Amino acid sequence: MSKSTNQNTPYRPVEPWVNKYRPKTVDEVSHQDEVVKALKRSLETGNLPHLLFYGPPGTGKTSTILAVAMDLFGPELYKDRVLELNASDERGIEVVRTKIKNFASFSVSQNNTLTNGKPAAAFKLIVLDEADSMTHDAQAALRRIIEYTSKTTRFCLLCNYITRIIEPLSSRCAKFRFKSLNDTAMIERLRYIASSESMPPVKDEVYQAIHAVSDGDLRKAITYLQSSYRFYGSRELTPDNIYNISGTVPPKLIETLINTCKSNSYDKLQSNLQQLVTKGYPASQILVQIFDQVTNHKSFSDKQKALIAMKIGDVDRNLVDGSEEFLQLFDTVSFIMKQLSDNSNNNNNNNNRMDLD
Amino acid sequence: MLWIDKYKPTSLDQMDYHKDISENLKNMILGGDFPHLLVYGPSGAGKKTRVMATLKEIYGANCLKVKIENKTFKHPSSSKSIQVTTVSSPYHIEINPGEAGSYDRLVIQSIIKDIAQSPPIDSQSFVVILNEVDKLSKDAQHALRRTMEKYANFCRLILCCDSTSKVIDPIRSRCMGIRVPAPTKEEIVKVLQNVAKKERFDLSAEVAGHFAERSNGNLRYALLLLESKKTKEYPFQTNELPLLDWESAIFNVANDMITEQSPARLQVIRGKLYELIGHCIPPDIIMKNLTFALLERIDTTIKYDIIHWAAFYEQNQYFTWKHSLPSLWQSLKSSKWNFNHNITST
Ligand SMILES: Nc1ncnc2c1ncn2[C@@H]1O[C@H](COP(=O)(O)OP(=O)(O)OP(=O)(O)O)[C@@H](O)[C@H]1O
Ligand SMILES: [Mg+2]
């Protein structure tokens, strides 16, 4: 039995790569060219509208606004001029009326110069990160404050879903959508990080696998890269390592499940599903992958695909609401089985088939 | 001391199965990087045991000397205070945020901010273990997002849950996921036989197999079952294990449903279901087992309907009996099988 690794030396984990490689300037932000261009123009003039950044997780919203703030105020004024509030802070209507209002209403000196010689911006910045988790009441209260403090204060709201921000608030801001990262942009950034960390060479197919499982979320991608590197030590990484780290079900297993749907045996279906669930794959993940495979499968007609997609949509919502996972999955796969058997019972099924292979 | 505690492995090397996960966890610790972890897998697969073994690998045996405290948290704006049980060592703290109910966000944030204010000795990193994160409110999950980034340097989170379906995407994207599959039947047999050897009694592979079969991959359950049978029914018979009381009660309900559909029978079934719920069998488990019991005995042509309505009513289980009663009688009139499905919605 080996002894424990670090009995005497204190254990200090290294900084996670996602933090270490957070863009320090807006130029470093990958793939959000329109946003960067527009922001740089306002940074040059030293003026800034109220901002609303929205888009999927891990696409650079928080990083961009932090970089903008650093550019405007430098490290010396940052603390005084920037108020950052996120979902971990109390942000009810009370806080909006007191803390935010107080910060917004004190005035700032007009002529500070930063150490780099640039004049500091003559306003303050309030960053409301994860703004979609604010209540509508709090948002409504914010709306008036924005109005009568706009001489001295800029607001920046960050969120994943713009629909969760009330219209009167979003209409006061310049809106910027952050895009999911495409494979080129994502892989370029990953390669940069891998070489800065002097990782052993990583195969192209591994980068492709990382892109495939991270839904355009660069933070996820960087975490997968770092975890798989640490988890599998000095061995050469394979796409399977990436699937494993990300909790993706091996595509073969989903294929088997879908083939079982053709067997017309509920017993087989039940035991096949049970196997998958005892391996620990979460229902939501299984569901997403069933969806992907069915939509790309040649043996389903377009109509069947549409019906199955609707079913999966319902089940997905039920899962979020907290339904029993096995029953929900069982319902889904039996539905697929029923679609398939209805089809084979249908005499003129060839007319329904639309596959053009 | 129960066998599940007595024979709990405390180091990664002692873990009997999933050797590959142990090996990889060790790699990770040696590499010096230890990201936030999201540990998930079926109940009783050994998630917590593995987490504690990992901590021991990092910090040494001292992290297993835990103290259990009741901590009180004050609500900032109201006079309410919230009590939560914490388990802690100098290196980690563990809580079940579910205990705090709708104040889970407050409790988690105060714990993490406390750590931030008095960073741990030797500026080592401190570990916060949160159990059952899938039951965390959305509010609390959102609150963790920036917290996990800001405090990452001295505070690592280990999040545990059965399934990540209810964990929001931004949290999943901040963690390294570790999936702990349920042990296979053979692996459970091996563990059971090891315990039998240490307790000095005979356990044939065949009998151990029955226990493993019944446990459905839940090792904790298998060990508890073995221990209770050992005290009551040793030496073991070689035939299969009888059903537990609640399991056969559900079987009976299925029988009742199949043999007769009438208002009188509905009353009987209702009584049995209330009794099950009274014995703290969770409604989703009742529904799942009832479905399986029905499926064993009915014609293939109606299997789909049964599965579908079971899933439908389980999802709507929050309806009370009163809510579902009118729809019950309605469906009773319209079709024989609908009647059965609706019964399950009580
Ligand atoms: N466009 C990008 N360019 C470079 N790095 C990025 C980009 N987007 C994300 N990253 C990396 O991912 C990490 C997280 O990004 P960030 O915090 O900006 O995401 P976000 O859009 O605010 O996500 P969320 O919606 O989850 O809050 C950063 O630390 C950085 O390492
Ligand atoms: Mg963010």
Side-chain angles (χ1 to χ4, degrees):
Chain A
M1 206 179 292
S2 83
K3 70 176 184 57
S4 271
T5 25
N6 302 317
Q7 295 287 21
N8 304 316
T9 40
Y11 189 72
R12 286 194 200 87
V14 191
E15 190 175 22
W17 291 356
V18 278
N19 286 7
K20 195 164 166 190
Y21 294 95
R22 190 185 279 287
K24 307 272 177 321
T25 65
V26 280
D27 283 314
E28 263 187 74
V29 175
S30 314
H31 197 56
Q32 314 294 353
D33 302 335
E34 298 88 355
V35 184
V36 169
K37 221 158 91 197
L39 282 174
K40 280 180 76 172
R41 214 174 306 127
S42 21
L43 286 179
E44 273 159 26
T45 62
N47 207 348
L48 203 68
H50 299 304
L51 298 170
L52 173 61
F53 293 170
Y54 64 101
T59 48
K61 299 179 295 297
T62 306
S63 313
T64 305
I65 195 62
L66 294 181
V68 167
M70 203 43 95
D71 190 294
L72 289 170
F73 306 109
E76 54 272 49
L77 286 179
Y78 192 98
K79 264 218 156 74
D80 291 340
R81 297 288 188 85
V82 183
L83 175 66
E84 193 199 331
L85 290 174
N86 55 63
S88 71
D89 300 297
E90 203 57 54
R91 284 193 305 193
I93 187 156
E94 267 318 301
V95 174
V96 172
R97 284 189 185 139
T98 54
K99 194 168 175 182
I100 296 186
K101 196 170 146 196
N102 288 342
F103 185 84
S105 27
F106 80 81
S107 59
V108 295
S109 113
Q110 296 292 321
N111 37 20
N112 277 320
T113 315
L114 300 178
T115 35
N116 63 7
K118 267 179 48 180
F123 53 80
K124 289 158 292 166
L125 181 67
I126 297 185
V127 179
L128 294 168
D129 205 346
E130 293 134 19
D132 31 10
S133 69
M134 287 177 78
T135 65
H136 282 191
D137 284 348
Q139 292 187 31
L142 201 56
R143 164 185 165 189
R144 298 216 23 243
I145 297 174
I146 291 192
E147 204 129 89
Y148 62 77
T149 60
S150 66
K151 273 222 177 70
T152 58
T153 309
R154 297 292 176 276
F155 282 81
C156 180
L157 279 67
L158 315 182
C159 65
N160 296 125
Y161 304 102
I162 193 171
T163 46
R164 305 243 173 96
I165 305 295
I166 60 172
E167 210 275 334
L169 201 55
S170 64
S171 64
R172 283 173 169 73
C173 305
K175 297 187 230 359
F176 293 104
R177 192 171 75 84
F178 280 64
K179 297 174 292 186
S180 293
L181 273 85
N182 65 14
D183 51 349
T184 341
M186 181 178 277
I187 293 175
E188 192 189 303
R189 186 74 183 166
L190 292 177
R191 279 188 199 285
Y192 166 74
I193 293 175
S195 74
S196 312
E197 289 291 331
S198 19
M199 267 179 82
V202 179
K203 278 188 291 203
D204 231 16
E205 52 175 5
V206 173
Y207 283 123
Q208 289 295 348
I210 296 183
H211 174 257
V213 296
S214 52
D215 311 308
D217 177 339
L218 186 52
R219 172 179 32 229
K220 226 190 236 174
I222 296 174
T223 309
Y224 291 157
L225 184 70
Q226 183 179 17
S227 320
S228 50
Y229 175 43
R230 292 308 181 204
F231 210 53
Y232 297 106
S234 48
R235 278 167 283 169
E236 188 173 37
L237 291 177
T238 65
D240 277 342
N241 295 155
I242 303 296
Y243 293 138
N244 197 15
I245 280 282
S246 65
T248 313
V249 189
K252 268 237 156 52
L253 296 184
I254 299 285
E255 220 171 285
T256 316
L257 185 66
I258 291 180
N259 282 333
T260 315
C261 291
K262 295 174 184 156
S263 71
N264 215 10
S265 154
Y266 287 91
D267 291 347
K268 278 193 195 141
L269 204 53
Q270 185 178 336
S271 70
N272 195 323
L273 198 58
Q274 189 69 53
Q275 272 172 25
L276 216 51
V277 171
T278 48
K279 288 214 176 81
Y281 295 108
S284 54
Q285 181 66 35
I286 298 177
L287 203 61
V288 169
Q289 289 188 251
I290 291 179
F291 176 76
D292 286 347
Q293 286 215 5
V294 167
T295 43
N296 293 320
H297 218 284
K298 290 206 173 69
S299 55
F300 293 87
S301 71
D302 279 3
K303 188 178 166 205
Q304 286 172 330
K305 286 181 185 175
L307 289 170
I308 293 169
M310 266 165 67
K311 179 78 191 175
I312 289 179
D314 285 342
V315 170
D316 189 41
R317 190 198 51 225
N318 295 346
L319 286 177
V320 173
D321 287 347
S323 305
E324 211 283 321
E325 299 202 344
F326 190 88
L327 281 177
Q328 292 297 327
L329 283 178
F330 202 12
D331 187 19
T332 313
V333 287
S334 340
F335 182 84
I336 297 176
M337 187 149 98
K338 185 157 176 289
Q339 292 307 312
L340 288 170
S341 71
D342 284 359
N343 191 52
S344 55
N345 294 339
N346 195 339
N347 288 334
N348 52 1
N349 60 359
N350 283 334
N351 299 340
N352 294 338
R353 297 283 288 275
M354 309 238 344
D355 32 79
L356 306 161
D357 43 338
Chain B
M1 204 197 240
L2 288 172
W3 291 352
I4 43 168
D5 294 319
K6 195 166 165 190
Y7 297 108
K8 196 194 278 285
T10 56
S11 75
L12 287 175
D13 294 306
Q14 286 170 14
M15 313 258 350
D16 284 309
Y17 52 92
H18 302 334
K19 297 263 183 218
D20 51 333
I21 302 184
S22 303
E23 204 49 46
N24 293 337
L25 280 169
K26 279 208 236 162
N27 274 334
M28 191 182 74
I29 294 164
L30 281 173
D33 278 4
F34 170 31
H36 299 305
L37 302 181
L38 176 59
V39 184
Y40 61 97
S43 175
K47 298 182 287 284
K48 258 307 279 306
T49 311
R50 203 165 290 268
V51 165
M52 289 316 294
T54 309
L55 286 190
K56 187 180 166 214
E57 187 79 22
I58 299 176
Y59 297 114
N62 274 344
C63 70
L64 299 179
K65 292 188 195 129
V66 295
K67 64 174 191 278
I68 302 173
E69 286 169 288
N70 274 319
K71 281 210 173 135
T72 312
F73 297 88
K74 278 230 148 31
H75 193 274
S77 45
S78 78
S79 58
K80 214 178 145 58
S81 62
I82 306 111
Q83 282 246 341
V84 173
T85 317
T86 64
V87 178
S88 60
S89 78
Y91 306 101
H92 84 284
I93 184 167
E94 176 189 340
I95 60 163
N96 274 339
E99 282 179 39
S102 56
Y103 297 103
D104 51 357
R105 187 187 72 129
L106 180 83
V107 169
I108 296 173
Q109 293 298 328
S110 345
I111 286 181
I112 296 178
K113 282 178 185 163
D114 271 359
I115 300 169
Q117 268 161 21
S118 51
I121 32 169
D122 301 341
S123 69
Q124 303 203 22
S125 90
F126 197 80
V127 173
V128 178
I129 303 178
L130 301 179
N131 288 321
E132 301 193 341
V133 278
D134 44 347
K135 306 228 167 67
L136 225 52
S137 67
K138 289 277 136 56
D139 214 26
Q141 295 196 35
H142 281 292
L144 277 176
R145 295 167 60 173
R146 272 300 277 159
T147 307
M148 289 172 80
E149 294 175 343
K150 270 184 158 170
Y151 301 128
N153 284 343
F154 53 86
C155 168
R156 293 296 149 105
L157 264 71
I158 300 184
L159 312 175
C160 302
C161 58
D162 289 356
S163 163
T164 59
S165 298
K166 271 159 265 161
V167 179
I168 61 172
D169 220 36
I171 299 283
R172 276 188 268 171
S173 110
R174 283 161 170 81
C175 302
M176 169 171 159
I178 295 186
R179 180 172 54 86
V180 182
T184 62
K185 210 182 126 185
E186 293 72 36
E187 285 163 341
I188 293 186
V189 167
K190 211 176 123 209
V191 175
L192 294 183
Q193 286 192 308
N194 271 339
V195 168
K197 206 161 105 199
K198 286 181 196 146
E199 287 289 320
R200 293 164 199 283
F201 68 89
D202 288 328
L203 184 66
S204 69
E206 191 193 357
V207 176
H210 292 318
F211 281 98
E213 191 69 54
R214 179 52 47 79
S215 72
N216 252 326
N218 186 332
L219 183 56
R220 183 189 315 117
Y221 182 85
L223 277 167
L224 285 171
L225 195 64
L226 180 67
E227 186 167 5
S228 82
K229 294 276 176 203
K230 165 72 178 37
T231 37
K232 280 188 267 171
E233 291 161 27
Y234 190 76
F236 300 119
Q237 306 292 310
T238 45
N239 43 4
E240 284 191 26
L241 296 169
L243 292 176
L244 296 179
D245 288 348
W246 65 270
E247 288 170 331
S248 43
I250 293 180
F251 230 72
N252 285 336
V253 172
N255 257 339
D256 291 342
M257 287 172 70
I258 289 170
T259 46
E260 183 187 322
Q261 292 93 38
S262 71
R265 182 53 63 89
L266 188 58
Q267 283 300 337
V268 175
I269 291 173
R270 185 186 163 191
K272 290 186 179 171
L273 289 177
Y274 273 134
E275 205 180 310
L276 277 166
I277 292 172
H279 281 88
C280 295
I281 311 295
D284 53 340
I285 301 286
I286 300 181
M287 189 64 106
K288 192 163 87 174
N289 283 287
L290 186 55
T291 312
F292 295 161
L294 286 171
L295 286 177
E296 276 177 25
R297 271 173 264 182
I298 55 176
D299 189 68
T300 310
T301 51
I302 49 175
K303 280 188 176 173
Y304 171 73
D305 292 303
I306 292 289
I307 297 165
H308 173 70
W309 290 112
F312 179 83
Y313 281 110
E314 191 282 322
Q315 196 248 322
N316 291 301
Q317 62 171 278
Y318 305 103
F319 284 100
T320 63
W321 172 252
K322 255 191 223 142
H323 283 113
S324 49
L325 206 56
S327 76
L328 263 167
W329 299 122
Q330 191 55 42
S331 347
L332 173 64
K333 277 181 223 143
S334 59
S335 117
K336 174 177 159 185
W337 277 107
N338 270 352
F339 165 58
N340 284 328
H341 314 141
N342 278 297
I343 286 175
T344 59
S345 74
T346 47

